[in-house]
Amino acid sequence: IKAIEMASDLSLAHDGSNLSINFLPNAVYEPRACIRTTLETAMRVSFPLRCIIFEFTEVEPLDTNHLLNILRSYRAMGFKTAIDDFGAGYAGLALLSRFQPDLVKLDMELIRDIDQSAVKRSIVKGILKILDDLGVRAICEGIETFAEFEVLRDIGIDLMQGFLFARPSLAHIAAPFWPDRTELARTQA
């Protein structure tokens, strides 16, 4: 409730931004009943459902059929869906073969020091090819260095998050830093 209210107060939906809400699938007993408060809050503060992304974290063993029911229900209600920490949990490619979310957030462990690891670059490129074939957008999380940013940008990632761009903040939107090649050259000189 608080996240949706704050996002509305900050006019996130007006500038094309989305609000991501994480959930643990095993905490959702019945999707429509559990989402009622979210729907009521979004309507009360006029926050568009299309700007809400439900991210599930695959940190615990999953009942895949239960998860698919949740994801399909949320999508039918107009929400976007995302797999968070992809590559670090239980669902991975098997789940992706049964449901294609709007977004997949690649786990920061795959991203950390990608500029120094040919193996990580190869794995990320392979995942990106699969996601592209499926029509799923990728987000890389945990970017902390210019070198990681450059590698990811060069392999075609356009959605990134991490401390390099902005620190988490509460009740205001941090001004993001998005380096371009000129900026990178100046900072590395």
Side-chain angles (χ1 to χ4, degrees), residues 91-158:
L93 295 173
L95 176 65
L96 196 57
S97 73
R98 296 183 62 194
F99 181 83
Q100 294 75 53
D102 299 289
L103 301 155
V104 165
K105 295 176 76 173
L106 300 185
D107 185 67
M108 70 175 70
E109 187 58 37
L110 288 171
I111 304 308
R112 184 78 61 241
D113 299 322
I114 193 168
D115 55 302
Q116 300 168 36
S117 173
V119 172
K120 287 184 178 186
R121 286 191 301 276
S122 181
I123 290 169
V124 168
K125 285 178 186 177
I127 292 171
L128 292 177
K129 173 70 172 111
I130 292 167
L131 295 177
D132 187 53
D133 288 350
L134 297 174
V136 177
R137 294 202 64 197
I139 300 175
C140 290
E141 52 186 9
I143 292 87
E144 294 185 356
T145 69
F146 289 112
E148 291 167 347
F149 166 79
E150 267 197 312
V151 167
L152 294 167
R153 185 202 51 219
D154 289 348
I155 52 181
I157 296 291
D158 61 348

Side-chain angles (χ1 to χ4, degrees), residues 26-176:
N26 292 341
V28 177
Y29 55 91
E30 201 287 308
R32 293 199 180 271
C34 290
I35 203 70
R36 186 172 296 124
T37 303
T38 302
L39 291 168
E40 290 169 359
T41 304
M43 285 187 244
R44 178 174 49 80
V45 300
S46 300
F47 196 83
L49 299 183
R50 65 178 161 57
C51 293
I52 297 175
I53 302 170
F54 277 99
E55 297 180 12
F56 80 91
T57 306
E58 45 171 346
V59 296
E60 57 190 0
L62 299 171
D63 174 344
T64 304
N65 290 329
H66 177 63
L67 176 61
L68 292 173
N69 180 45
I70 294 168
L71 294 173
R72 289 179 180 135
S73 295
Y74 286 3
R75 180 175 278 167
M77 289 181 233
F79 297 109
K80 294 177 185 164
T81 57
I83 299 174
D84 194 13
D85 300 326
F86 187 80
Y90 289 89
L93 295 173
L95 176 65
L96 196 57
S97 73
R98 296 183 62 194
F99 181 83
Q100 294 75 53
D102 299 289
L103 301 155
V104 165
K105 295 176 76 173
L106 300 185
D107 185 67
M108 70 175 70
E109 187 58 37
L110 288 171
I111 304 308
R112 184 78 61 241
D113 299 322
I114 193 168
D115 55 302
Q116 300 168 36
S117 173
V119 172
K120 287 184 178 186
R121 286 191 301 276
S122 181
I123 290 169
V124 168
K125 285 178 186 177
I127 292 171
L128 292 177
K129 173 70 172 111
I130 292 167
L131 295 177
D132 187 53
D133 288 350
L134 297 174
V136 177
R137 294 202 64 197
I139 300 175
C140 290
E141 52 186 9
I143 292 87
E144 294 185 356
T145 69
F146 289 112
E148 291 167 347
F149 166 79
E150 267 197 312
V151 167
L152 294 167
R153 185 202 51 219
D154 289 348
I155 52 181
I157 296 291
D158 61 348
L159 297 176
M160 300 182 214
Q161 72 181 57
F163 288 166
L164 176 64
F165 311 111
R167 295 281 178 171
S169 60
L170 186 61
H172 81 281
I173 300 173

